[in-house]
Amino acid sequence: MFHRSQRLLLRPIWPEDWQGVFAGIADEGVVRNLARAPWPYEEKDAREFAKLPINPLYPRFLITRARDAVVVGCIGIDAVHADTPEEAVELGYWIARPFWGQGIATEAGRSMLEVAASLGHKSLVASHFLDNPASGAVLRKIGFQPTGQVSTRHSCGRGEAAKVAEYALELDEEPSVISKAA
């Protein structure tokens, strides 16, 4: 699956993309804001990530600039096996440091919401570490609402648990969010 927005192309991650992934994520400032990526992030980590199978209902994408295919980050959704009867779907992303502050996370996030809705997902959850308020701003811009819950989540990149603010979005309301974003 591919998805094109105004400036970006979201496309599958292929094994040969490992160098682009590595160049963007091998930065402690990026990794410390992620739950699953280790620090230090090594070439072998990028190679393994780029080879992971993708579940068609829970895709993850390489975010590239549409004009020149430069890798600017990754975004995806994944099933979260929570203590609730229904499985939650979680949005996650990272943007390489040279591309921070350019609206890329917001644009890619809106695109990912369109993909999630097209796959039949009804709601999404997301979170950000409390010391990363920029990610919270992105989540609010794309329509997520703070739940008021703060929990603790382990960060492999930090090597410890840290507090996260939790967000939720009902995709039934999504058409109004997408139309506002246009």
Side-chain angles (χ1 to χ4, degrees):
M1 175 185 295
F2 294 77
H3 192 284
R4 174 78 158 75
S5 66
Q6 182 179 354
R7 298 179 296 160
L8 306 173
L9 174 66
L10 277 57
R11 68 164 180 82
I13 303 165
W14 299 309
E16 58 269 24
D17 292 321
W18 76 267
Q19 291 173 320
V21 170
F22 181 72
I25 196 174
D27 174 331
E28 188 175 12
V30 173
V31 172
R32 74 180 318 275
N33 292 314
L34 304 174
R36 297 182 196 155
W39 184 256
Y41 196 88
E42 299 175 359
E43 286 186 7
K44 70 175 180 56
D45 299 312
R47 287 179 191 271
E48 289 170 10
F49 177 76
K51 287 194 275 185
L52 287 173
I54 296 177
N55 181 329
L57 287 177
Y58 303 102
R60 69 181 166 277
F61 297 101
L62 195 66
I63 306 168
T64 65
R65 287 192 309 211
R67 65 183 157 118
D68 59 11
V70 168
V71 175
V72 298
C74 288
I75 193 165
I77 55 174
D78 201 5
V80 178
H81 303 284
D83 297 331
T84 59
E86 292 186 26
E87 204 171 72
V89 178
E90 181 177 35
L91 173 72
Y93 60 89
W94 61 264
I95 304 298
R97 187 185 299 262
F99 305 100
W100 289 0
Q102 298 176 31
I104 290 171
T106 302
E107 187 172 334
R110 286 182 179 132
S111 292
M112 197 68 226
L113 296 182
E114 292 173 3
V115 169
S118 75
L119 292 171
H121 297 295
K122 302 294 182 204
S123 62
L124 294 175
V125 297
S127 63
H128 70 85
F129 290 105
L130 294 183
D131 61 357
N132 182 16
S135 192
V138 168
L139 293 172
R140 287 187 301 278
K141 282 181 195 174
I142 65 174
F144 278 84
Q145 298 297 313
T147 65
Q149 299 294 313
V150 173
S151 63
T152 302
R153 186 164 189 180
H154 183 76
S155 167
C156 293
R158 294 169 189 240
E160 62 186 9
K163 299 284 186 189
V164 296
E166 298 179 4
Y167 291 75
L169 173 67
E170 294 300 319
L171 291 174
D172 295 340
E173 301 168 5
E174 186 51 27
S176 63
V177 175
I178 292 173
S179 64
K180 289 178 188 172

